[in-house]
Amino acid sequence: MKINRDVRAQEEKMKELELYVHIPFCVKKCNYCDFLSAPASERTYDAYVSRLLAEIGAAGLAYKTDGVTSVFIGGGTPSVLSAAQMRQLLRRLKDSFPVLPDAEITVECNPGTLDAEKLQAYYEAGVNRLSIGLQSADEKELRMLGRIHTFEQFVQNYELARKTGFKNINVDIISAIPGQKINDYRQTLLKVTALKPEHISAYALIIEEGTPFYEQMRWNLLQLPSEEVDRQMYQMTKDLLRQSGYERYEISNYARPGFECRHNTGYWLRKNYLGIGLGAASCIENVRFANIADLSGYLKTDAADLPHVYAQREKLNERAQMEEFMFLGLRLMRGVSAEDFQKQFSLTMESVYGEVIQKQLNQKLIKQTKTGYCLTDYGIDISNYVMAEYLFH
Ligand code: SF4
């Protein structure tokens, strides 16, 4: 593995920073998952948390900021860690970085790994947002996906979280699950909206290489919904969530007014973010880098020796920054701002992308807004194609 050792500590203080902390453990691997996560022993959890604590401390010295606006502890399944471990992590984050008093602090959790003690510990440590992976309200589908929990367990955890005091909860759901019928998916949407979470992330299943589902698909053993059914589910998500009071603010994300995920929105707006932990990616002042993704190698690296050891590092040139500005910004329903583009690049959006913009306006893939451009419904349907046109070849 090629390792770059030339990452310098940030010399200039950043105005704002978002933090991501990766917990690469799960009780069991789901059949569709290609995330950097795996089951591990309690001893490995301990070793990992010690390494993380050291890295957080060192990163706090290396990356100076006026304020951390959001913290996202993601995975994997961060809720496999004990209440004490999570308390330690959150304490170290706050001791090492100037986390703003109104920062959004999210912990990702999965039913089957949560309990009252953990939820109380998160709450007391300042966590103000939970993101719970449900994926489906149908027991058969949960088993098919390889999830470790039932819908009933999810509901119990959700209610416990409310009782603990959490007022901002996201629920993740998936459509186009093998064997799923339109009405099955409708039931998931109805059961989830009945609980009134503040935020719902609704993604269509993608079969990723290297997963059990991929192997089954190769052998024709997966009964995937047809394209037509997939489209109907997509349409149903939009309609049913809108009727239930959710605003779609990103291609796959819906929120009650005021509950858009600040952390992810920052990512789509290309704010500085620092990733801590195994394989965690960062982008600071247009330099992208990522931690190594091999657990035993990661545990051997010396976190106190920051700038730490990164597996990849890439300085984005101006063209790459413009591309990202467009294809990340267009994911947001409010679209891209022409003024922000000009501020960042000292060029008008039209002078760089005039031809593409005009063509896509004619094709009704994008439309003009008060501040710039956003995707039309048709544009969202074929967003990969639309975004690809902003890449310089
Ligand atoms: S719980 Fe999430 S991260 Fe863990 S294996 Fe399942 S999908 Fe992947």
Side-chain angles (χ1 to χ4, degrees):
M1 183 196 315
K2 185 177 175 300
I3 292 178
N4 282 300
R5 293 172 189 278
D6 61 344
V7 180
R8 303 274 179 281
Q10 194 61 31
E11 276 157 21
E12 297 216 346
K13 202 172 182 193
M14 287 170 275
K15 203 166 170 311
E16 289 183 348
L17 179 65
E18 301 199 324
L19 290 177
Y20 174 80
V21 180
H22 190 65
I23 309 296
F25 307 123
C26 287
V27 174
K28 164 183 173 294
K29 201 78 186 152
C30 300
N31 293 331
Y32 56 94
C33 178
D34 75 335
F35 297 149
L36 183 55
S37 70
S41 65
E42 299 275 337
R43 250 178 80 182
T44 307
Y45 292 177
D46 288 344
Y48 188 76
V49 170
S50 304
R51 173 63 177 74
L52 265 188
L53 292 173
E55 185 174 340
I56 293 167
L61 294 174
Y63 298 97
K64 295 291 182 196
T65 175
D66 289 334
V68 166
T69 51
S70 68
V71 176
F72 197 103
I73 303 186
T77 305
S79 49
V80 294
L81 297 184
S82 69
Q85 286 171 325
M86 195 62 92
R87 242 187 252 118
Q88 273 183 307
L89 283 180
L90 288 156
R91 182 73 271 146
R92 182 64 57 91
L93 284 165
K94 287 189 174 174
D95 288 347
S96 309
F97 289 92
V99 178
L100 294 172
D102 66 343
E104 178 188 86
I105 305 181
T106 305
V107 172
E108 264 187 332
C109 18
N110 279 306
T113 59
L114 270 178
D115 58 35
E117 189 199 357
K118 289 183 186 179
L119 285 165
Q120 192 62 35
Y122 301 169
Y123 191 74
E124 285 168 6
V127 174
N128 50 27
R129 185 170 183 272
L130 293 180
S131 179
I132 310 182
L134 165 65
Q135 317 313 350
S136 166
D138 182 288
E139 303 304 342
K140 197 165 60 344
E141 288 171 9
L142 287 172
R143 282 197 298 278
M144 144 77 76
L145 292 169
R147 305 288 297 177
I148 59 162
H149 56 88
T150 61
F151 178 62
E152 191 49 41
Q153 272 174 311
F154 161 78
V155 175
Q156 283 166 8
N157 285 176
Y158 182 89
E159 284 171 354
L160 200 55
R162 287 295 196 210
K163 219 170 110 197
T164 311
F166 287 99
K167 296 191 169 56
N168 188 357
I169 300 182
N170 167 59
V171 178
D172 286 338
I173 55 173
I174 295 182
S175 62
I177 295 170
Q180 189 175 45
K181 306 273 183 308
I182 287 279
N183 197 43
D184 303 332
Y185 181 59
R186 183 198 304 277
Q187 291 308 314
T188 289
L189 284 170
L190 291 174
K191 286 181 184 175
V192 170
T193 50
L195 291 166
K196 300 193 180 355
E198 284 67 32
H199 190 286
I200 296 175
S201 294
Y203 287 88
L205 181 71
I206 296 174
I207 308 289
E208 303 284 0
E209 209 172 331
T211 61
F213 271 5
Y214 186 82
E215 287 310 307
Q216 289 173 33
M217 188 178 74
R218 279 184 55 208
W219 295 100
N220 258 336
L221 299 173
L222 271 193
Q223 197 201 337
L224 288 168
S226 66
E227 232 173 77
E228 177 55 25
V229 169
D230 195 5
R231 286 190 64 77
Q232 287 176 23
M233 289 181 183
Y234 167 80
Q235 191 62 40
M236 187 190 288
T237 310
K238 280 194 315 185
D239 296 345
L240 212 143
L241 293 185
R242 191 183 53 238
Q243 288 155 20
S244 307
Y246 293 88
E247 193 190 325
R248 182 189 211 183
Y249 70 99
E250 193 269 345
I251 293 180
S252 306
N253 285 280
Y254 299 78
R256 296 192 177 282
F259 287 98
E260 296 82 12
C261 175
R262 271 192 267 155
H263 184 86
N264 288 343
T265 303
Y267 168 76
W268 293 312
L269 293 174
R270 303 188 66 250
K271 295 196 171 167
N272 286 327
Y273 64 90
L274 179 67
I276 296 172
L278 186 72
S282 306
C283 189
I284 305 277
E285 308 297 9
N286 292 307
V287 178
R288 290 198 166 281
F289 48 95
N291 239 330
I292 57 174
D294 154 57
L295 183 59
S296 61
Y298 173 77
L299 291 175
K300 281 184 212 141
T301 57
D302 183 358
D305 185 26
L306 267 183
H308 33 224
V309 182
Y310 292 115
Q312 309 149 15
R313 179 174 188 262
E314 182 195 5
K315 168 93 181 124
L316 298 180
N317 62 28
E318 193 159 76
R319 283 161 80 90
Q321 292 171 39
M322 289 177 183
E323 290 174 349
E324 280 198 354
F325 182 101
M326 297 305 286
F327 68 70
L328 290 176
L330 281 171
R331 292 194 64 87
L332 292 165
M333 296 300 102
R334 66 178 154 177
V336 287
S337 154
E339 195 187 320
D340 288 352
F341 188 96
Q342 183 144 14
K343 253 194 230 153
Q344 285 187 35
F345 305 113
S346 306
L347 286 169
T348 63
M349 196 183 268
E350 285 76 8
S351 70
V352 179
Y353 284 117
E355 225 174 277
V356 180
I357 288 173
Q358 196 49 54
K359 181 175 145 208
Q360 295 193 344
L361 283 170
N362 294 342
Q363 293 173 318
K364 301 201 180 342
L365 292 169
I366 59 170
K367 60 186 177 194
Q368 204 141 15
T369 64
K370 282 191 191 129
T371 51
Y373 303 93
C374 70
L375 296 177
T376 58
D377 279 350
Y378 175 43
I380 296 171
D381 283 358
I382 52 168
S383 57
N384 288 346
Y385 164 78
V386 180
M387 315 300 196
E389 295 217 305
Y390 292 93
L391 302 179
F392 298 103
H393 298 290

